[in-house]
Amino acid sequence: KKSPIPYTFSTCGHSKSVTCAELVLYNSDPAIVRCEENDVFIPPCGHERALKCWKKTRIEERKESFNCNRERLVKLPRCGHEQTVQCSTADRIEKWVGVSCEEVGVVDEGVSYGLQDYPCNAKASLRRKCGHCMLLPCREAFAKSTSLEACREPVKIVHPSCGHGCKVACHLADHLRSQNIRPPVVTRLIEGDIPAKLTFAGLPKCDELVTFVRKCGHVEQLPCSEISKPKRGCKLESVVKSPLCGHDIKTPCFIMNELQKAQIKCPPNQAPFAVIDSSNDFSTLSNDARKVLQSCGLRSRVILTCGHESEVECSKLLRHSENDEVADGCDKKVEVCLPCGHFIQLSCKDCNRHKQGLYTPRCTRKKTIKCWNYDR
């Protein structure tokens, strides 16, 4: 039967309707019954939570933990960024022990800040000892703060070889400054009188233009990095007489020297004619020198090796001089005596082929002979 007296929980004071048997049982062993009344639990964070009375009692007696799942905005103690986290996580963050950033979101190289308080995804500035900064995710910035590679940010310094301004990686700039090298600024140099160059790994080529005086006397502007070993000779052009045809051609200075060394010979008594001399050796000429000799756009008379005169384009004289192609194509008529005793007119080129056994001309003259089958 229903007990006229309810069972009263000693821990919370709530009562529960029970039977007489249950009343006796619960009074003899209170641990077997739980208070199912709803109650309000207020944790240290202040957020109210409706819980069963028995659960609230266990939490208050520290027999069970309580994690508040309400969210709140906190300021992370390590980086200073604000984050919205669960209330229970905020309590753990407040217990963090370490070094906080002096400026919000600015991580300094070389500082050990301690363990992570919370995985922050905000952007942070990793400030190097040299002053350069890198924008990285906050977690990555702290991870790299004690293990950064050398700074490669470009920095303008005085080039240690020539004194001109140049840009190098920051770490190399620090090394060069420590050497205390103060070279004079190079503005003008004479070919052959080049100062020693200092070399450092990672040092860029200087592209500053320098007045370069060549041995030939010409003056030009060259990149500073090329003046110790110029990649080319003097390209300033002069108008000179072609050693092949005698016409005026524009010739770079360094090609003039090469042509003079080649000593192209003109056969005696051939002044009005272009040079076709098989004794000339053109094999030593560079491609640049050949282009200059072939740059003349006029025509010239030549005396071929066969002795005849011909007219050819000056741009082809070099090739003809090397291969005697003009003589092989001479169309002048010459008289040739055939084995039969008759004379015929052949072109000079066919005559040469006939002499070499490469061509046999046919005699077209008529001749009276005795019939082999008639005897009178």
Side-chain angles (χ1 to χ4, degrees):
K1 290 185 177 182
K2 185 177 180 180
S3 172
I5 303 173
Y7 175 75
T8 303
F9 292 92
S10 60
T11 56
C12 60
H14 292 137
S15 59
K16 179 180 180 180
S17 297
V18 294
T19 63
C20 291
E22 288 174 335
L23 180 61
V24 173
L25 178 63
Y26 294 161
N27 284 330
S28 62
D29 187 5
I32 65 175
V33 63
R34 299 190 303 187
C35 180
E36 298 292 341
E37 291 289 331
N38 289 325
D39 205 347
V40 176
F41 174 69
I42 302 177
C45 62
H47 297 136
E48 294 184 358
R49 178 75 179 272
L51 296 175
K52 294 293 183 181
C53 185
W54 66 268
K55 189 172 184 68
K56 172 187 174 183
T57 302
R58 285 182 59 82
I59 293 172
E60 290 175 343
E61 293 176 349
R62 298 185 181 277
K63 293 179 180 179
E64 188 174 326
S65 62
F66 175 78
N67 291 324
C68 181
N69 59 7
R70 297 279 293 276
E71 291 186 337
R72 63 172 168 162
L73 187 67
V74 298
K75 184 176 181 180
L76 299 180
R78 188 166 71 158
C79 61
H81 292 132
E82 291 185 337
Q83 288 278 350
T84 300
V85 298
Q86 286 190 350
C87 200
S88 56
T89 303
D91 293 337
R92 179 175 58 79
I93 291 174
E94 289 175 356
K95 297 176 183 178
W96 176 82
V97 177
V99 178
S100 300
C101 292
E102 294 181 1
E103 300 177 44
V104 176
V106 178
V107 181
D108 289 313
E109 180 185 6
V111 178
S112 180
Y113 291 90
L115 297 176
Q116 177 178 269
D117 51 6
Y118 184 78
C120 180
N121 294 318
K123 291 293 184 181
S125 178
L126 178 53
R127 182 167 55 193
R128 293 177 178 271
K129 293 179 180 179
C130 60
H132 293 127
C133 297
M134 301 168 60
L135 195 62
L136 299 170
C138 195
R139 290 181 294 177
E140 188 178 340
F142 281 108
K144 290 186 174 182
S145 63
T146 55
S147 58
L148 271 178
E149 297 180 350
C151 182
R152 300 186 180 279
E153 193 74 19
V155 176
K156 190 170 183 178
I157 64 164
V158 174
H159 202 292
S161 292
C162 58
H164 298 133
C166 69
K167 286 188 176 182
V168 299
C170 181
H171 70 93
L172 179 58
D174 289 339
H175 172 68
L176 293 175
R177 291 191 191 103
S178 67
Q179 303 295 314
N180 199 27
I181 302 172
R182 299 181 181 276
V185 180
V186 177
T187 58
R188 180 183 176 89
L189 284 172
I190 299 175
E191 186 174 7
D193 185 20
I194 308 300
K197 289 279 184 180
L198 298 176
T199 57
F200 294 93
L203 200 61
K205 292 181 178 179
C206 179
D207 294 325
E208 191 79 17
L209 292 179
V210 174
T211 301
F212 188 58
V213 182
R214 293 191 177 270
K215 293 179 180 179
C216 59
H218 291 138
V219 179
E220 58 182 311
Q221 300 291 311
L222 287 182
C224 182
S225 57
E226 292 184 19
I227 56 176
S228 58
K229 292 182 179 179
K231 296 180 180 179
R232 55 174 177 79
C234 179
K235 280 196 170 183
L236 292 178
E237 292 182 334
S238 300
V239 177
V240 298
K241 299 291 184 183
S242 169
L244 282 180
C245 62
H247 297 135
D248 289 341
I249 55 174
K250 290 183 178 180
T251 308
C253 186
F254 76 101
I255 298 297
M256 289 175 57
N257 296 331
E258 184 178 350
L259 294 178
Q260 290 172 358
K261 292 178 182 179
Q263 296 181 345
I264 300 175
K265 295 173 290 184
C266 178
N269 303 321
Q270 199 173 308
F273 301 92
V275 177
I276 296 291
D277 190 335
S278 59
S279 65
N280 285 319
D281 183 13
F282 300 100
S283 61
T284 59
L285 292 181
S286 64
N287 290 332
D288 289 333
R290 289 174 172 274
K291 289 178 182 179
V292 169
L293 290 178
Q294 294 169 347
S295 64
C296 181
L298 302 177
R299 297 177 68 86
S300 293
R301 287 189 302 156
V302 295
I303 297 178
L304 307 178
T305 52
C306 59
H308 296 128
E309 294 181 18
S310 182
E311 187 175 283
V312 297
E313 296 176 8
C314 295
S315 59
K316 297 180 181 179
L317 278 174
L318 180 61
R319 189 180 65 197
H320 294 328
S321 299
E322 290 180 306
N323 304 321
D324 201 16
E325 292 182 1
V326 177
D328 290 340
C330 180
D331 290 321
K332 295 288 184 178
K333 295 297 183 179
V334 294
E335 193 173 54
V336 179
C337 181
L338 300 179
C340 62
H342 295 133
F343 288 87
I344 63 172
Q345 296 286 324
L346 290 178
S347 65
C348 185
K349 61 182 179 183
D350 287 339
C351 179
N352 288 331
R353 292 174 61 203
H354 171 55
K355 292 178 180 179
Q356 297 169 9
L358 302 176
Y359 171 67
T360 303
R362 295 179 59 185
C363 181
T364 57
R365 297 282 296 276
K366 291 184 178 181
K367 178 181 178 183
T368 301
I369 60 173
K370 185 178 181 181
C371 178
W372 63 273
N373 197 29
Y374 179 75
D375 187 13
R376 181 181 286 183

